[in-house]
Amino acid sequence: MSDTDAAAPVAALPTVLGALQDPVRLEVVRRLANAGQPLRCALTYDGISKSTAAHHFKILREAGVTERVTIDGNVHLRLCEEALNAEFPGLLDAVLRAANADADTPE
Amino acid sequence: MSDTDAAAPVAALPTVLGALQDPVRLEVVRRLANAGQPLRCALTYDGISKSTAAHHFKILREAGVTERVTIDGNVHLRLCEEALNAEFPGLLDAVLRAANADADTPE
């Protein structure tokens, strides 16, 4: 059973870039993109509290970057890839390419 | 006669996105890209004070997005396109496409 909250429309470019410019939020987006499917919220971050994560999720959601989806009674995060690509062609791909390159670089 | 300050290396992705997420800085970058050449600082913004502009220029410069170039004794801003494209392929193009689309939309 799947039940979807209404997704926010994709925000203006500065707001979307502002949502993506935080390392925690960038990692959430990177994990969602690489998973290719909605993820349980807890799988999208490490090393921060639930309330800090909730703050970041809110910023992503309000920018129209992610939405909340309930699957089998569990809240998941879904990346709004189609909407972002329609609004800002190539932006998400370029950001993900860079974020994945960073993540692959040994510290 | 042209004299160039040492350009900062392109910063990490979150810092570059942070530099681009501000509407004033996004407009500076958009004007520089569309000009296709360095511009006198005053041509890159409207409606803000010189000191506010200087603050924004510093953030762009420290992120490696722009550099200061002195041409015939006058300070210009130059967009570090090659360095940005080498570090984050496609990112600047996607941001500029979106920013130009916004600028073309009547209010």
Side-chain angles (χ1 to χ4, degrees):
Chain A
M1 196 187 78
S2 172
D3 168 34
T4 307
D5 292 10
V10 174
L13 182 62
T15 305
V16 170
L17 292 175
L20 296 174
Q21 55 88 225
D22 178 273
V24 169
R25 297 194 292 268
L26 197 54
E27 178 65 10
V28 169
V29 169
R30 194 182 74 85
R31 291 190 188 186
L32 288 172
N34 291 349
Q37 59 179 30
L39 290 177
R40 295 289 297 270
C41 299
L43 295 179
T44 63
Y45 64 89
D46 295 311
I48 54 171
S49 69
K50 265 180 115 162
S51 67
T52 300
H55 159 77
H56 288 299
F57 292 161
K58 181 163 183 279
I59 290 173
L60 287 170
R61 198 167 62 240
E62 288 178 352
V65 173
T66 61
E67 61 181 343
R68 289 158 58 100
V69 192
T70 306
I71 302 175
D72 291 333
N74 295 313
V75 175
H76 288 60
L77 285 187
R78 196 182 81 85
L79 183 61
C80 302
E81 265 186 282
E82 305 77 14
L84 281 165
N85 289 338
E87 195 68 23
F88 305 124
L91 180 63
L92 189 62
D93 282 350
V95 168
L96 290 170
R97 199 180 312 128
N100 279 320
D102 269 7
D104 290 343
T105 308
E107 304 279 317
Chain B
M1 196 188 76
S2 172
D3 167 34
T4 307
D5 292 10
V10 175
L13 181 63
T15 304
V16 170
L17 293 174
L20 297 173
Q21 55 89 226
D22 178 273
V24 170
R25 297 194 290 270
L26 196 55
E27 179 64 10
V28 169
V29 169
R30 193 182 76 84
R31 292 190 188 187
L32 288 171
N34 290 349
Q37 60 179 29
L39 290 178
R40 295 289 297 270
C41 300
L43 295 179
T44 63
Y45 63 89
D46 294 311
I48 55 171
S49 69
K50 265 180 116 161
S51 66
T52 300
H55 159 77
H56 288 299
F57 292 161
K58 182 164 184 276
I59 291 173
L60 286 170
R61 201 167 60 241
E62 289 178 351
V65 173
T66 61
E67 61 180 343
R68 287 157 59 99
V69 192
T70 306
I71 302 174
D72 292 334
N74 295 313
V75 176
H76 288 60
L77 283 188
R78 196 183 82 84
L79 184 61
C80 302
E81 265 186 282
E82 306 76 13
L84 281 165
N85 289 338
E87 194 66 24
F88 305 124
L91 181 63
L92 189 62
D93 282 350
V95 168
L96 290 170
R97 198 180 312 130
N100 279 321
D102 269 6
D104 291 342
T105 307
E107 303 278 317

